[in-house]
Amino acid sequence: MPRLLIVAHAPSPNTQRLREAAARGARHPDIEAVEVVVKPPLEAGPEDVRACDAILLGTTENLGYMSGALKDFFDRSYYPVLEEQQGLPCALYVRAGHDGTGTRRAVESIVAGLRWKWVQAPLLLRGEWQEAFVDRVEELGMAMAAGLDAGIL
């Protein structure tokens, strides 16, 4: 059974809602043949990346960069999985209080080095909180899992 790994930093109630939405979308009842594993970045590591067939990353924008927790995940996982998981389908959502471009670029740079494959452009959730952010992340989780389920990813 294909496995979708969701690694998302969620330091606030709203970002926790986003992580839950990603998991809810990925576990949609119409998607039966995908295992969904959800971990905070400080609990995820190279063994989780090796065991997955696609990865969905979530982070906050912190001073124009990704969260320290997601950076720590990459620091611990980068070299151990570099040769083993090239081509891994991935997606990203960024909860950005400002514009999120620095955060997006930082993650894109690491993903390029890992040679992972973007499923879609990073989802930037900019500005003041909007309830629509939850729906957009849920749809992203569903799309990732549906792609695995259909054998597209």
Side-chain angles (χ1 to χ4, degrees), residues 22-33 36 138 141-142 145:
R24 185 172 52 253
R27 293 180 175 130
H28 188 279
D30 291 342
I31 303 168
E32 299 175 357
V36 178
E138 185 172 346
M142 188 183 326

Short mmCIF file of all heavy atoms in Angstrom, two decimals, residues 22-33 36 138 141-142 145:
data_model
loop_
_atom_site.label_atom_id
_atom_site.label_comp_id
_atom_site.label_asym_id
_atom_site.label_seq_id
_atom_site.Cartn_x
_atom_site.Cartn_y
_atom_site.Cartn_z
N ALA A 22 -4.92 18.63 6.10
CA ALA A 22 -4.12 17.85 5.15
C ALA A 22 -4.37 16.36 5.36
O ALA A 22 -4.59 15.61 4.40
CB ALA A 22 -2.64 18.18 5.30
N ALA A 23 -4.37 15.94 6.61
CA ALA A 23 -4.60 14.53 6.92
C ALA A 23 -6.03 14.12 6.58
O ALA A 23 -6.26 13.04 6.02
CB ALA A 23 -4.31 14.27 8.40
N ARG A 24 -6.98 14.97 6.88
CA ARG A 24 -8.40 14.66 6.58
C ARG A 24 -8.59 14.49 5.07
O ARG A 24 -9.25 13.55 4.62
CB ARG A 24 -9.30 15.76 7.13
CG ARG A 24 -10.76 15.51 6.98
CD ARG A 24 -11.62 16.55 7.71
NE ARG A 24 -11.30 17.93 7.38
CZ ARG A 24 -10.67 18.78 8.19
NH1 ARG A 24 -10.29 18.40 9.41
NH2 ARG A 24 -10.43 20.03 7.82
N GLY A 25 -8.00 15.38 4.30
CA GLY A 25 -8.10 15.27 2.85
C GLY A 25 -7.45 13.99 2.34
O GLY A 25 -8.00 13.30 1.48
N ALA A 26 -6.29 13.68 2.88
CA ALA A 26 -5.57 12.47 2.45
C ALA A 26 -6.31 11.19 2.84
O ALA A 26 -6.18 10.17 2.17
CB ALA A 26 -4.17 12.46 3.05
N ARG A 27 -7.11 11.28 3.89
CA ARG A 27 -7.87 10.11 4.35
C ARG A 27 -9.31 10.14 3.86
O ARG A 27 -10.18 9.47 4.45
CB ARG A 27 -7.83 10.05 5.88
CG ARG A 27 -6.44 9.78 6.43
CD ARG A 27 -6.44 9.74 7.93
NE ARG A 27 -5.13 9.35 8.44
CZ ARG A 27 -4.46 10.00 9.38
NH1 ARG A 27 -4.99 11.07 9.96
NH2 ARG A 27 -3.27 9.58 9.77
N HIS A 28 -9.57 10.85 2.80
CA HIS A 28 -10.93 10.93 2.24
C HIS A 28 -11.47 9.52 2.04
O HIS A 28 -10.74 8.62 1.62
CB HIS A 28 -10.90 11.69 0.92
CG HIS A 28 -12.24 12.00 0.38
ND1 HIS A 28 -12.99 11.08 -0.33
CD2 HIS A 28 -12.99 13.13 0.46
CE1 HIS A 28 -14.13 11.62 -0.66
NE2 HIS A 28 -14.16 12.87 -0.20
N PRO A 29 -12.75 9.29 2.34
CA PRO A 29 -13.32 7.94 2.24
C PRO A 29 -13.21 7.30 0.86
O PRO A 29 -13.19 6.07 0.74
CB PRO A 29 -14.79 8.12 2.62
CG PRO A 29 -14.93 9.47 3.20
CD PRO A 29 -13.71 10.26 2.85
N ASP A 30 -13.14 8.10 -0.18
CA ASP A 30 -13.02 7.53 -1.53
C ASP A 30 -11.60 7.04 -1.85
O ASP A 30 -11.39 6.40 -2.86
CB ASP A 30 -13.43 8.56 -2.59
CG ASP A 30 -14.93 8.85 -2.55
OD1 ASP A 30 -15.68 8.03 -1.98
OD2 ASP A 30 -15.33 9.90 -3.10
N ILE A 31 -10.66 7.38 -0.98
CA ILE A 31 -9.26 6.96 -1.17
C ILE A 31 -9.00 5.84 -0.18
O ILE A 31 -8.81 6.08 1.00
CB ILE A 31 -8.30 8.14 -0.96
CG1 ILE A 31 -8.65 9.29 -1.90
CG2 ILE A 31 -6.85 7.69 -1.15
CD1 ILE A 31 -7.96 10.60 -1.57
N GLU A 32 -9.00 4.62 -0.68
CA GLU A 32 -8.94 3.47 0.22
C GLU A 32 -7.57 2.83 0.33
O GLU A 32 -7.28 2.18 1.32
CB GLU A 32 -9.95 2.41 -0.26
CG GLU A 32 -11.37 2.92 -0.25
CD GLU A 32 -12.33 1.90 -0.83
OE1 GLU A 32 -11.90 0.83 -1.28
OE2 GLU A 32 -13.54 2.18 -0.81
N ALA A 33 -6.73 3.00 -0.66
CA ALA A 33 -5.50 2.21 -0.71
C ALA A 33 -4.24 3.04 -0.47
O ALA A 33 -3.20 2.79 -1.05
CB ALA A 33 -5.40 1.49 -2.05
N VAL A 36 -1.69 6.92 5.41
CA VAL A 36 -1.32 8.30 5.69
C VAL A 36 -0.62 8.34 7.05
O VAL A 36 -1.17 7.89 8.04
CB VAL A 36 -2.56 9.22 5.69
CG1 VAL A 36 -2.16 10.66 6.03
CG2 VAL A 36 -3.27 9.16 4.36
N GLU A 138 -6.79 20.98 2.76
CA GLU A 138 -7.50 19.70 2.69
C GLU A 138 -7.51 19.18 1.25
O GLU A 138 -7.27 17.99 1.00
CB GLU A 138 -8.92 19.84 3.21
CG GLU A 138 -9.67 18.52 3.27
CD GLU A 138 -11.01 18.62 3.97
OE1 GLU A 138 -11.28 19.63 4.65
OE2 GLU A 138 -11.80 17.66 3.84
N GLY A 141 -4.05 17.77 0.42
CA GLY A 141 -3.87 16.44 0.98
C GLY A 141 -4.63 15.39 0.19
O GLY A 141 -4.12 14.30 -0.09
N MET A 142 -5.86 15.73 -0.21
CA MET A 142 -6.67 14.80 -1.00
C MET A 142 -6.03 14.54 -2.36
O MET A 142 -5.99 13.40 -2.82
CB MET A 142 -8.08 15.36 -1.18
CG MET A 142 -9.05 14.37 -1.81
SD MET A 142 -10.72 15.03 -2.12
CE MET A 142 -11.00 16.15 -0.79
N ALA A 145 -2.99 12.16 -1.98
CA ALA A 145 -3.38 10.78 -1.73
C ALA A 145 -4.09 10.17 -2.94
O ALA A 145 -3.85 9.01 -3.29
CB ALA A 145 -4.29 10.72 -0.49
#
